[in-house]
């Protein structure tokens, strides 16, 4: 392996350390720039089962060039293009002539960055400590003894208490840098659900072939073939896959993965009556094994079967039901939910693990709507106090000094503009408010982060709920001290 030369100027290494610990995925070009890979370094991908061998080389700009001249930023995209199949984990597919995998070179790079001198003491929950925890998690995963934690505890490694969109991207990127992923996806389940930190497949060819050969269960999509949207072969320039899921998913609903009471197709009406009454349910899934959905039975279907024939067998009361993955976007399953009235939820192993109803979704969107309405009111109040108390020309000078945005009215101001204007001491003094500017601006910034999460439809952990009193207090304060 080439000797590491990460020692340039004082600023350059620290800058590199900063981006690695703020959510950017390691690229092959990073390894080249660090001197860990040289231009022309040969890479080999040997498929164990088919015994095929694919060759490539590293270019001076940090791409992987196949023998046919195709170039890729992503090792995974290069592996899929070389074989004509996929997806693959390219970091554990390509090996150097000395036998080391690209993944090992990436880990050496991360170790080098983690050991760079940093000002002050290393915090117990800082980047260096987190790097050590992730290395240990990878070691445990490789030893087939993976770590299992709650999503809440996992976020705590990054000093976070909820999954905002920036934190979610950072967590996903740093996990990927260590070859880790969570099962189930940490972004698609509840914050107190447990996830397992798993490493890359030991045999990417076997994993890919199993995925291709697996027959779908009820409600499951057919596996994609290489070259179709969503695989690593769609673009020669794309990065490795694995971006975190943004927006609300089915699995984020409290009932989605909390288990399900079911009956078999040979059940009796008495069993169904008892289970539905004891649990207060309006429907029960009919399963033949944990993955085989036969349908469902509801009070309505029972009434219809018995109305048509008082002696009807239980099988006549079974109606169609639909299952969706826990990772699907909530908004995408609404048509099916409207059609069936409820949906069964499959976990990462395709087992039926929960159920969601129209009431669950109505409660979810109702909770999301409340802070949205308050955010809109806050925006109107901020714009009003600025437009009534300050000069437009001075405001434009602050917010659009070079004229690129062509601001001409108060209505064009953004939330960031409100912060810029009210954070300016001269403009603040013109309002003559008996308030502390620093405290006021700090609260505005806190609300900005929540606003951004809401606007990205990523309020997975109900930051909006806790923000409701903060929003109301700020709105009331603006009303009291304006006009």
């Amino acid at each position: 392996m080439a000797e590491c030369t990460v020692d340039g100027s004082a600023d350059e290494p620290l800058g590199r350390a900063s981006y690695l610990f703020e959510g950017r995925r390691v690229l092959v070009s990073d390894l080249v720039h660090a001197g860990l890979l040289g231009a022309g370094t040969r890479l080999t991908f040997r498929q164990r089962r088919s015994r095929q061998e694919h060759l490539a080389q590293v270019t001076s700009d940090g791409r992987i060039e196949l023998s046919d001249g195709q170039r890729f930023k992503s090792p995974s995209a290069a592996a899929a293009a070389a074989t004509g199949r996929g997806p693959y984990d390219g970091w554990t597919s390509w090996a150097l002539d000395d036998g080391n995998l690209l993944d090992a070179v990436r880990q050496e790079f991360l170790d080098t960055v983690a050991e760079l001198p940093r000002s002050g003491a290393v915090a117990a929950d800082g980047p260096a400590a987190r790097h050590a925890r992730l290395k240990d998690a990878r070691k445990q995963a490789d030893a087939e003894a993976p770590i299992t934690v709650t999503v809440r505890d996992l976020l705590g490694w990054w000093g976070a208490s909820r999954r905002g969109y920036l934190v979610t991207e950072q967590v996903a990127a740093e996990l990927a840098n260590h070859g880790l992923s969570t099962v189930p996806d940490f972004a698609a389940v509840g914050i107190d659900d447990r996830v397992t930190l798993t490493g890359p497949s030991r045999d990417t060819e076997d994993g890919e072939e199993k995925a291709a050969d697996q027959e779908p269960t009820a409600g499951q999509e057919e596996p994609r073939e290489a070259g179709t949207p969503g695989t690593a072969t769609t673009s020669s320039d794309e990065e490795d896959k694995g971006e975190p899921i943004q927006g609300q998913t089915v699995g984020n609903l409290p009932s989605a993965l909390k288990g399900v009471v079911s009956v078999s197709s040979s059940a009796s009406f008495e069993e169904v009556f008892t289970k539905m009454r004891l649990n207060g349910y309006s429907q029960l899934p009919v399963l033949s094994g944990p993955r085989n959905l036969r349908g469902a039975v509801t009070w309505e279907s029972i009434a219809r079967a018995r109305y048509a024939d008082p002696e009807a067998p239980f099988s006549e009361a079974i109606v169609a039901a639909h299952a969706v993955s826990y990772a699907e976007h909530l908004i995408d399953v609404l048509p099916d939910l409207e059609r069936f009235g409820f949906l069964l939820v499959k976990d990462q192993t395709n087992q039926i693990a929960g159920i969601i109803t129209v009431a669950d979704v109505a409660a979810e969107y109702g909770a999301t709507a409340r802070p949205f309405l308050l955010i809109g009111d806050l925006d109107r109040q901020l714009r009003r106090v600025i437009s009534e108390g300050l000069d437009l020309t001075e405001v434009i000078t602050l917010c659009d000094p070079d004229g690129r945005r062509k601001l001409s009215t108060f209505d064009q101001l953004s939330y960031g503009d409100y912060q810029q204007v009210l954070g300016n001491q001269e403009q603040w003094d013109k309002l003559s408010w008996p308030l502390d500017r620093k405290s006021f601006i700090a609260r505005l910034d806190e609300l900005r982060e929540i606003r951004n999460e809401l606007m990205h439809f990523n309020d997975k952990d109900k930051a909006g709920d806790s923000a409701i009193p903060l929003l109301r207090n700020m709105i009331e304060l603006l009303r009291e001290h304006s006009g």
Side-chain angles (χ1 to χ4, degrees), residues 253-256 280-283 330 334 337-338 340-343 355-368 370 462:
L253 295 179
S255 63
Y281 294 156
S282 298
Q283 63 280 312
L330 188 54
L334 293 184
L337 184 61
E338 181 181 9
F340 292 96
F342 64 94
L343 295 172
I355 186 171
I356 62 171
T357 66
V358 172
D360 294 324
V361 176
E364 178 71 18
Y365 281 116
T368 302
R370 286 191 292 271
K462 300 299 180 293

Side-chain angles (χ1 to χ4, degrees), residues 260-263 271-273 275-276 279 281-286 295-298 342 344 355:
V260 64
V261 176
S262 66
V263 294
E271 179 185 353
V272 173
F273 291 157
K275 287 185 174 181
M276 290 175 73
N279 294 286
Y281 294 156
S282 298
Q283 63 280 312
L284 286 177
V286 180
V297 60
T298 69
F342 64 94
L344 282 305
I355 186 171

Side-chain angles (χ1 to χ4, degrees), residues 210-224 291-293 346 349-350:
K210 287 178 182 177
D213 294 339
Q214 183 179 14
E215 292 188 9
T217 59
Q220 181 182 354
E221 292 184 1
E222 295 285 350
R224 301 179 189 267
R291 295 182 178 85
N292 197 345
L293 176 61
K346 299 179 294 182
T349 67
N350 277 328

Side-chain angles (χ1 to χ4, degrees), residues 215-242:
E215 292 188 9
T217 59
Q220 181 182 354
E221 292 184 1
E222 295 285 350
R224 301 179 189 267
E225 294 183 6
T228 60
T231 69
T233 61
T234 56
S235 168
S236 62
D237 252 0
E238 66 182 335
E239 307 298 341
D240 284 326
K241 296 299 181 184

Side-chain angles (χ1 to χ4, degrees), residues 368-383:
T368 302
R370 286 191 292 271
F372 255 111
L373 296 174
L374 290 172
I375 285 288
D377 195 7
L378 174 62
D379 188 88
R380 289 189 294 273
Q381 293 298 329
L382 287 168
R383 185 167 59 250

